[in-house]
Amino acid sequence: MSDNHLPRDLTLYVLARFLLVGVIAGGLLLVNVPLLVALLIGLVVGLPLGLLLFRPLNARVTAGLARRNEKRARARAELRSQLRGDRVDGAA
């Protein structure tokens, strides 16, 4: 899976989590729970439930972030090497 899927996966994950909180809060509103209380309960219940329900999507986002961070660390190390004046592969 390439890194260009990270923005899509991250957006889907965030939207899914918001949707879950909205569904929980909406269900509570149907049984006449006040809006603020329903939202708070939706957040508290939705956080752990979202981790369980959206585990595959969470794994894809986590893997994409790890790949991106690895690339950034390599680029940073290469830049530091160049700034120190170390020889870079392919340079004469």
Side-chain angles (χ1 to χ4, degrees), residues 11-90:
T11 302
L12 286 173
Y13 184 65
V14 168
L15 290 176
R17 297 288 298 261
F18 279 133
L19 183 64
L20 179 63
V21 169
V23 166
I24 293 170
L28 291 172
L29 286 173
L30 290 176
V31 292
N32 295 325
V33 174
L35 176 63
L36 185 58
V37 175
L39 287 174
L40 288 174
I41 292 172
L43 281 172
V44 169
V45 173
L47 289 175
L49 191 58
L51 286 173
L52 292 174
L53 292 177
F54 308 125
R55 188 176 302 235
L57 190 54
N58 185 3
R60 288 196 326 231
V61 169
T62 302
L65 288 171
R67 281 191 304 272
R68 186 190 70 175
N69 288 341
E70 183 180 310
K71 281 184 178 180
R72 290 178 70 194
R74 270 185 280 153
R76 189 170 41 251
E78 182 180 326
L79 178 61
R80 285 183 180 154
S81 174
Q82 290 174 356
L83 290 173
R84 282 192 309 263
D86 295 344
R87 185 169 176 224
V88 179
D89 291 339

